[in-house]
Amino acid sequence: MGHLEIRNLHCSYGADDILKSVDLSVDRGEVVSLIGPSGSGKSTLLRSLIGLTPPRMGTVELDGEEINYRNRQSLRHLRDKMAIVFQQYNLFQNMNVFRNVTVAPLKIKKRDKGAVEKTATELLDRVGIGDKHQAYPDELSGGQQQRVAIARALALAPEILLLDEVTSALDPERVNEVLDVIRDLTRDGITMLIVSHEMSFVKEVSTRVAMMDAGSVVEVGPPEQIFDAPKEQRTRDFVGKILRH
Amino acid sequence: MEYDFQFAKVFTELPYLLGGAWLTIQIAFIAFWGGAFLGIFGAIGKVYGGAIARGAIGAYVVFFTNTPALVQIFFLFYALPEAGIVLNPLTAVLIGMVLNSAAYLTDILRAGIISVRKAEIEAALTIGMRPLQVLSYVMLPHVAKTLFAPLSNFFVWLMLGSSIAALFAVEELTGRAINISTSNLRTIETFVVTASIYILLTIIASLFLSFIGRTVFRVKAKVM
Amino acid sequence: MFERIIEEAPRFFTYYNLMFVLGAMWRTLLMTLVGCSIGFTVGLGLAVLRRTSAAWLRPARYAAILYVETFRRIPFLVVLFIVLYFIQPIYSGASLLAIATVAVCLMSTAFLSEIIRAGLESVPRQQMESAEVLNFHPGQTLAWVILPQAWKVILPPAVAFVVMFVKDTSLASQLGVVELTYAGKILVNKGFSPLLGFGAILAAYFILSYPLSRLGAHLETRLGTSRNT
């Protein structure tokens, strides 16, 4: 039994079916990257998993327990264990860095203040923002904001981390500082689902890669298989296109 | 409370009320265009004028936008006779509303003038446009875009604001409502019907103005 | 005409008249501030209600929209009359000041609700998603994330609206509320020159309104450029 079991997941946005039967099984501690052409449903899958665009059909099991996306309690339980980092960082603009990281554990989980602040300090040090606790998001560069967003997502010690194109909005010279942080996290054994266009990074950190096209997963396998010996034609086409340059 | 609503007594007066509504529209129209005429001079003076002109226009705007139109009209109506100028009620209301709306429109139009950035004009001149072309292809579309919504909203606002004319016995919509209610004594019914006419009137105005905005000025204006 | 003013001035600028005008000024301010405060609170409620998505609240959402769209399209004077004739038969003990204040509430609720709604909408949807995935309740999201970011969009037009209403309460004089405008009429009826009477009243309104409108303009420039604190 995997850490996360996705079966026959469907999701529509308005009249459009974005996800058409997604099946994917992710083991504990795995780093699974989703690749595929834009519009293939990678981001929607992540948003769907965390309940922002609830699935229309299909099941998602977390540790063998099915998530009921229509039930508030079940959704809260899910979000206690799963965190997401967005492309646009989405830090709370009205809170400083430290507050962004501590607000959920303090105010929502009502955890001990001393412990929360200690964890937050450690996390911010780890992502290299240790000297900017009092800064507001609009005073930081994109790369810095994204690293704070990662620290915020980790503050509740999630078991699963979803990373939704976290480097796509960054200036090229800022991409590596964020990738370094993520690379560091993969050593922790936290389960990760990554949507990224940084193919060499995907190749390097992923335990498995899932190729998505037209709303479903067409091929899953270790990076060597997907990038060097893809079995599906669509994977071959896509990989051929992106690796040519 | 036992209250026996009798709307029939008001509905028979509907043509009379609608006649008042027509005067409401006319008053709003005069207040708008009279105010716009003065306001254009005010706005141009405020932007391009010398220190004295700017100061005088500023004082005018600040005074008229910080005091109630009703008291301004009271002042015209009761104080001017002291100086030998006797105005009939409608004239006093119209003058008061024009002076008042001129102040607001000076501010609105000024924003429009400022919004035409210098750079755009210079850019247009450097690619060889003649001043008249600059005016019609660069400045006016830009001004229309920034001004159409606030001007439209202001007109709707004037339609509602013109109800103060009733307090000077002018027989516009509210004035006629007062007349009816004092004769048929169905006050609530009369004013509810009157309110409905105002709602209808402003909705029609809003729809009409957004239509004009879309078709003539190519502005997607959300009118109140 | 100026001789008359000079002649009347000593009789006009007396302690009694000053207190009379100050009292009227107080009632003008009271109607505006009490009415707009209640209007702001209820308007906030309506604006929040309109953002909900629960199916069972749909009738309430439509009612809120209907209310807002209706009262923004009726002249304050007509609302005053309707409130007056509606309340008086039910509760004859209601003071005219209270009745006028109720009318201010009804109007300001509609207008301020629209202002607040625009402010809430100015906060990017992603901010709410961020809060949602961190398990914020909708109320917590509103209080800790949306309102702290929306208030600087809400405040300048809200202050401008209050300034407008200071002036609009002059219509309450028609009900017989002794606010500034009615006070002016009383002074003129006592035989003072309209130039003096209404002139003083215009000055009194200006004293109330001008600082507020300066505050509004100040907030607009300050909040427009300031950081999100």
Side-chain angles (χ1 to χ4, degrees):
Chain A
M1 183 190 68
H3 194 188
L4 191 67
E5 291 282 350
I6 304 162
R7 286 193 210 99
N8 192 27
L9 199 73
H10 287 246
C11 185
S12 39
Y13 199 80
D16 299 329
D17 287 336
I18 311 289
L19 298 181
K20 301 161 195 160
S21 186
V22 171
D23 291 280
L24 188 64
S25 174
V26 182
D27 286 332
R28 190 173 285 274
E30 259 201 303
V31 176
V32 175
S33 294
L34 306 171
I35 63 166
S38 59
S40 57
K42 306 177 301 276
S43 289
T44 307
L45 176 58
L46 297 193
R47 291 176 57 85
S48 183
L49 284 175
I50 202 152
L52 285 175
T53 37
R56 188 167 55 78
M57 220 170 93
T59 59
V60 175
E61 280 178 15
L62 184 61
D63 284 324
E65 208 177 309
E66 190 183 332
I67 307 299
N68 180 357
Y69 284 97
R70 313 231 175 286
N71 179 293
R72 211 174 270 269
Q73 212 52 46
S74 177
L75 212 49
R76 287 181 75 81
H77 177 69
L78 165 78
R79 288 167 177 168
D80 279 343
K81 294 193 170 178
M82 189 187 274
I84 186 168
V85 180
F86 301 97
Q87 181 180 349
Q88 295 290 344
Y89 348 123
N90 302 355
L91 292 176
F92 298 127
Q93 296 293 314
N94 57 314
M95 303 179 193
N96 65 23
V97 165
F98 200 65
R99 190 79 183 140
N100 260 286
V101 179
T102 55
V103 64
L106 272 185
K107 297 279 223 168
I108 309 295
K109 303 301 307 172
K110 314 257 190 243
R111 288 184 189 156
D112 171 63
K113 193 167 181 237
V116 167
E117 291 185 344
K118 187 164 164 285
T119 312
T121 308
E122 284 167 8
L123 281 171
L124 285 170
D125 283 344
R126 186 172 178 190
V127 298
I129 310 285
D131 54 338
K132 294 200 157 55
H133 286 195
Q134 303 306 318
Y136 280 81
D138 57 4
E139 297 167 331
L140 300 178
S141 72
Q144 290 170 326
Q145 289 191 57
Q146 194 58 292
R147 285 183 280 150
V148 176
I150 292 172
R152 178 176 70 175
L154 292 174
L156 289 169
E159 296 176 5
I160 301 176
L161 186 63
L162 312 178
L163 300 170
D164 185 9
E165 300 197 29
V166 293
T167 57
S168 298
L170 301 179
D171 294 333
E173 70 269 26
R174 294 289 186 175
V175 168
N176 279 328
E177 63 189 51
V178 173
L179 293 183
D180 289 342
V181 167
I182 299 169
R183 189 178 291 116
D184 182 40
L185 289 177
T186 58
R187 299 196 192 101
D188 286 13
I190 181 172
T191 306
M192 282 198 222
L193 252 71
I194 301 177
V195 172
S196 178
H197 295 297
E198 302 290 333
M199 286 305 155
S200 55
F201 178 75
V202 164
K203 216 167 165 178
E204 174 199 336
V205 301
S206 308
T207 51
R208 281 189 303 151
V209 176
M211 164 73 196
M212 286 187 74
D213 190 34
S216 52
V217 175
V218 294
E219 185 175 357
V220 191
E224 307 83 60
Q225 175 196 326
I226 298 294
F227 288 106
D228 304 330
K231 294 194 173 106
E232 293 287 327
Q233 184 60 42
R234 277 186 283 180
T235 316
R236 242 189 311 270
D237 291 347
F238 177 73
V239 170
K241 240 180 259 168
I242 50 166
L243 292 188
R244 216 178 303 145
H245 48 252
Chain B
M1 173 195 76
E2 289 291 312
Y3 189 90
D4 176 25
F5 281 101
Q6 295 181 12
F7 279 98
K9 283 193 176 177
V10 184
F11 286 137
T12 53
E13 303 283 3
L14 218 46
Y16 177 70
L17 281 175
L18 290 177
W22 175 232
L23 186 57
T24 290
I25 297 171
Q26 289 174 305
I27 294 173
F29 224 76
I30 293 168
F32 183 85
W33 288 109
F37 179 75
L38 296 177
I40 286 172
F41 289 110
I44 291 172
K46 194 89 200 286
V47 177
Y48 300 108
I52 296 170
R54 285 207 310 271
I57 295 165
Y60 177 89
V61 170
V62 164
F63 173 77
F64 274 91
T65 55
N66 281 294
T67 50
L70 178 61
V71 185
Q72 291 160 13
I73 299 170
F74 273 145
F75 193 84
L76 287 173
F77 193 59
Y78 294 108
L80 283 186
E82 299 265 308
I85 305 166
V86 180
L87 299 171
N88 76 33
L90 183 60
T91 316
V93 167
L94 285 177
I95 293 175
M97 284 191 70
V98 165
L99 293 179
N100 192 269
S101 81
Y104 286 97
L105 285 167
T106 295
D107 262 359
I108 295 175
L109 294 170
R110 189 177 70 104
I113 294 177
I114 292 173
S115 77
V116 185
R117 276 165 295 158
K118 270 207 178 98
E120 278 184 51
I121 300 170
E122 278 160 14
L125 287 170
T126 49
I127 63 166
M129 278 190 175
R130 267 169 305 195
L132 205 65
Q133 289 174 314
V134 174
L135 186 72
S136 58
Y137 293 122
V138 182
M139 287 180 78
L140 282 183
H142 197 92
V143 170
K145 205 167 227 161
T146 38
L147 288 188
F148 193 80
L151 287 177
S152 302
N153 284 326
F154 188 70
F155 180 76
V156 175
W157 188 73
L158 279 175
M159 285 174 71
L160 299 174
S162 66
S163 60
I164 59 169
L167 305 181
F168 299 87
V170 173
E171 292 197 349
E172 44 66 75
L173 183 48
T174 307
R176 290 197 170 181
I178 294 172
N179 287 353
I180 295 175
S181 67
T182 45
S183 69
N184 71 4
L185 302 177
R186 312 306 305 182
T187 326
I188 294 186
E189 291 91 327
T190 306
F191 281 106
V192 166
V193 170
T194 305
S196 311
I197 297 175
Y198 272 111
I199 293 168
L200 213 66
L201 221 54
T202 52
I203 288 176
I204 292 170
S206 300
L207 290 177
F208 178 73
L209 287 168
S210 342
F211 174 75
I212 294 286
R214 260 199 327 276
T215 52
V216 181
F217 297 102
R218 301 176 180 284
V219 189
K220 264 199 208 137
K222 194 173 171 285
V223 181
M224 187 177 119
Chain C
M1 126 179 142
F2 290 106
E3 298 85 59
R4 185 173 164 197
I5 292 173
I6 292 162
E7 183 233 318
E8 279 179 12
R11 273 196 296 124
F12 184 76
F13 294 104
T14 58
Y15 179 74
Y16 177 83
N17 279 355
L18 179 72
M19 290 328 266
F20 177 66
V21 171
L22 281 180
M25 212 164 159
W26 166 242
R27 278 182 286 276
T28 289
L29 201 61
L30 200 67
M31 274 188 289
T32 312
L33 293 186
V34 172
C36 288
S37 304
I38 296 173
F40 191 89
T41 315
V42 182
L44 176 63
L46 291 187
V48 171
L49 174 67
R50 285 177 70 173
R51 289 170 65 87
T52 57
S53 53
W56 63 278
L57 281 172
R58 186 169 295 150
R61 281 196 292 275
Y62 285 140
I65 295 172
L66 187 70
Y67 178 88
V68 169
E69 288 307 314
T70 304
F71 276 86
R72 274 159 24 102
R73 293 176 180 282
I74 308 177
F76 182 48
L77 186 59
V78 174
V79 173
L80 272 170
F81 284 133
I82 292 177
V83 172
L84 173 72
Y85 294 119
F86 203 83
I87 289 185
Q88 269 191 338
I90 302 173
Y91 180 55
S92 52
S95 77
L96 292 170
L97 186 70
I99 288 172
T101 308
V102 169
V104 176
C105 286
L106 290 175
M107 292 296 275
S108 63
T109 295
F111 280 93
L112 289 171
S113 154
E114 269 307 279
I115 291 171
I116 295 167
R117 195 172 69 94
L120 298 182
E121 271 175 11
S122 74
V123 179
R125 192 175 44 89
Q126 289 92 328
Q127 293 283 310
M128 278 146 255
E129 291 186 344
S130 273
E132 194 186 333
V133 297
L134 290 171
N135 270 335
F136 282 49
H137 285 302
Q140 292 169 327
T141 307
L142 182 73
W144 298 338
V145 178
I146 302 175
L147 282 181
Q149 296 184 52
W151 73 272
K152 60 176 188 172
V153 181
I154 295 173
L155 215 53
V159 170
F161 175 80
V162 174
V163 174
M164 204 186 82
F165 236 100
V166 168
K167 293 167 278 164
D168 279 2
T169 54
S170 65
L171 295 170
S173 60
Q174 289 312 299
L175 263 53
V177 180
V178 188
E179 43 64 74
L180 274 175
T181 305
Y182 199 69
K185 283 172 127 180
I186 290 175
L187 288 174
V188 172
N189 284 341
K190 276 186 180 168
F192 289 112
S193 149
L195 219 58
L196 263 182
F198 288 125
I201 294 309
L202 284 171
Y205 272 112
F206 190 83
I207 289 166
L208 279 182
S209 163
Y210 186 67
L212 268 174
S213 65
R214 291 299 303 169
L215 174 70
H218 176 71
L219 287 175
E220 196 158 353
T221 48
R222 233 195 85 112
L223 296 179
T225 54
S226 83
R227 240 225 350 265
N228 312 286
T229 43

